[in-house]
Amino acid sequence: MQRRFRRVLTTGMLTLLLSTAPLLAEAGREEDRFRAEIASILQRRCLSCHNQERMQGDFSLHSAEAVLESGYLEPGEPSASHLLDVIRPVDGKARMPRDADPLSSKEIAAIESWIADGAVWPEGLVLAEHLVDNFDWWSFQPLERPDIRESQSDWGRTPIDAFIAARHQQAGVTHSPEADRRTLIRRVTFDLTGLPPSPEETAAFLADPDPQAYDKLVDRLLASPRYGERWARHWLDVAKYADTCGYDKDKLRPNAWPYRDYVIRSFNEDKPYARFVQEQIAGDVLFPGDRDGILGLGFIAAGPWDFIGHVEVPESKIDGKVARNLDRDDMVSNVINTFCSLTVQCARCHNHKFDPITQEHYYGLQAVFAAVDRAERVYDLDPEVEARKQELAGVIRETNAELTALETEIEQAGGERLRELESQIARLQDAQTVLKQPEFGYHSAIATSADTARWVEVRLAKPTDLTGLSLHPCHDDYAGIGAGFGFPVRFRIEVAGIDGKWQTVVDQTEADFPNPGLRSFDVVQDLTAVERIRITATRLAPRKSDFIFALAELEIHSRGTEKGERPLDGAVVTSLDSIEAPVRWSRDNLIDGSWARYANPVEAEQLADLEEERNVLRTQIETPARIERRKQLQSRLTASRKQLENLPAGSTVYAATTHFPAQGNFKPTEGKPRQVQVLHRGDVQHPKEKADPCVLPLAADEVSRMEPGLSEAERRARLAEWVTSPHHPMLWRSIVNRVWQYHFDQGLVATPNDFGRMGAEPTHPDLLDWLACEFRDSGGSFKHLHRLIVTSSVYRQSSAHHEGHATADAGNQLLWRINRRRLTAEEIRDAILVVSGAMDFTMGGPGYYLFELEKADHSPHYEYHLFDPTDPVSHRRSIYRFVVRSQPDPWMTTLDCADSSQSTPKRNETLTALQALSLLNNPFNLAMSERFADRLRTESSELSDQVVLAFQLIAQREPNAAEQKALERYGTDHGLANLCRVMFNLSEFMYVD
């Protein structure tokens, strides 16, 4: 049968077989059919895995020869073709395509027919993976404000209703009656604040005859600080916010919470949406000096982070590369999924199969974040302080650069000989074995200025005649510090006798003394009856960013010392200050008789000679002008650092940053972007061409690549400006769809994170676009959008069932009634706290624990079963709880709380027996039932009155006679606390309508 297939494809045989016009016409039709139908299916659904580069299962579909050699296909015999076996679903599942929807029955039938007809494949045709390059999908279309539909009904209150009514008329359904006032206040209060209305608020609203009573209620709720707490929770679900890192160790993020508080405050302040988005992508660039410009960057850092892959594995290793690739993937997907509702991450391993997004686009977006990491970042509450800090940081960076340039200039002035000397010295130093004891020597306190004086003094046990003394430099292996560590740049040596008068022996305070390596500084001079010796450093030795004074040993040479007696026996060391860190550093180490030496004395002497020649040469080329220039630069550096230290320390937020203290292998880029390459099939071991920073094209003729040479900050700024363009069709459609969904329990687009071809189409496209334009043109005001929605007639409908409408529209996509909604996990917990009287409305700050924390420093354990639910610290709103990724709160998870390890644009809503058991028996519910009972007893001593108040608090109404009787009987039989447990399980408490 393979020979038959070859004959179809061979030119000579094809000519023979098609010698007649009818046959030629038939073959032409078959080739056209392949190009129009079969090739499209193979390109779209198969070639991403089965191509000439990636032959999954040793099978490719890119050419006729490859298909023939695979043995998967028998032309003319569908029943013998294994290809059909793997694409046909069995019990709704097919082996291929893997991890994707199966081929449609129409597509399978087309392939089967093609095989049956001989599997004609046009000669020479090679298929490539399908690249979507058209932008005709609804979400890519320019955003234009539709005309408001005219309605024949007087039902509508806002333009929203006109669009809904028009669809009703088209479908032959009508709206539902308006809900009663008790239902309306409960619905809108939960929707806007996440809390139940109080009995007093309910009674006042029910009794208010003002026609504007409902509008006033809405305005009051939008002005409440509880509004921001409610709507921030929705945002944090999408952003993947949590207070731990996730992955294996799931370490704590103690400073993640300022981002959470920023989101709450932004909603309460009704921050314009474009500004809100820009702050979360590039706030530090677009709004320098503004605290929200840094706090907003908590969004980029909100998702999971692999501690082991970043800290314990170097970036050069495969696992380190994988960790950083996935980290950038999370940043890219979080930005594009959240703000644009596009599944850009589908292009990580191959071009997007359904949307016009290529691997080059995806890795170009990774390049935007190529210098960014997640770490602690300092911010200031005072914008002026933040601006001053940035100014001083810039001065310090510039000064360090000028000092480096000056050193380079000096080295170049020394010519080839200086370079030779430096090279020879480095070679000899590397070859030397240093002999030393664990006691390194004396070390002063650290200073921020080179010209800070430090002194150390030795008082001898008795007056001694000296023939000289020697200062021995330190040696430290740590971080490559090496020989001469801390030896003063300028200094003097003084001695004093019993009269206490100081005599200067050495004055090296007018010129810099070069690093001596391990060569001792020797003084040969007869000194009579010396009792005290003092070394004063007037210019300290530099370290990376500060200055110190250190000596390994003070050795003295004397006359008249008894045999076996050391001149320094019984001596006492004092100093202005000292780092006492035994055994390495201590004052007493200065006279312990040990110091570092090179093991090979001959080579040590050669090294000393080379260092001396080098120092002489440097003295010749370091002109007075260069010396003065260095002094000025060091003085400026010292002054700037001191000013920076004296400014308020500020606060810390876990956010996107390029500057932070290194932690193991996790090191800051300091703004230098890493090189990002397109990865073949997303594999870090198979990099291809360099990725250029870009945005996504929204039309066929758009240029998406950013201009070359942009800094890390400029790249993010370009992305933020592109995302928030007034003409960006997806930004504005995406956010109004999310808000609509949270009010109606279903979006106008059912896939809020995916507006691409694999997502749903809008049920009301004109309404979606009108809302998007209205929101954009109102300045991006969330409160304006909420007001439009919750004051509309469609929102104020009853949730009552209508059999006829349900038959025509079972999913209620036409919104002929309001959907009945169960409270979210946070709403249930918060409502229980409010009803029981335990709620503490304190806002902001670090999250409270609902667990006992164990082994916090290594791999934390979060022990929920050990927590005391009566602890008043935990009686705050649920948005302020400490959210753990790897071990989420079991009670909240049972009630369908969001999984913080992934974006949750819409929560699951389940109904399980475990939920009822939790609400009856969880320690939190038991504790709050007792608290609720105490509140009722405080209000009234009569059970009948207690039942009425409980019902008002739980359901915002009084019980009817049958309910009153049943609840009183239960309270009498089982106690008030058990009655309160039952009340927390009422459907009327758990559901908004």
Side-chain angles (χ1 to χ4, degrees), residues 108 118 258 317 534 537:
I108 295 171
K317 300 291 186 182
R534 174 179 287 197

Side-chain angles (χ1 to χ4, degrees), residues 943 947 967 970-971 974-984:
L943 180 59
V947 167
L967 292 172
Y970 189 90
H974 302 287
L976 189 56
N978 278 324
L979 173 61
C980 291
R981 289 171 69 195
V982 171
M983 299 293 283
F984 284 146

Side-chain angles (χ1 to χ4, degrees), residues 829-830 833-834 836-842 848-850 867-878 924 927-928 931:
R829 183 178 181 276
D830 291 351
L833 288 170
V834 167
S836 65
M839 175 64 86
D840 175 0
F841 281 109
T842 301
Y848 57 84
Y849 293 172
L850 291 177
F867 181 72
D868 179 6
T870 65
D871 184 355
V873 172
S874 67
H875 296 166
R876 297 172 62 204
R877 288 207 70 172
S878 298
F924 170 73
M928 289 305 106
R931 186 69 177 265

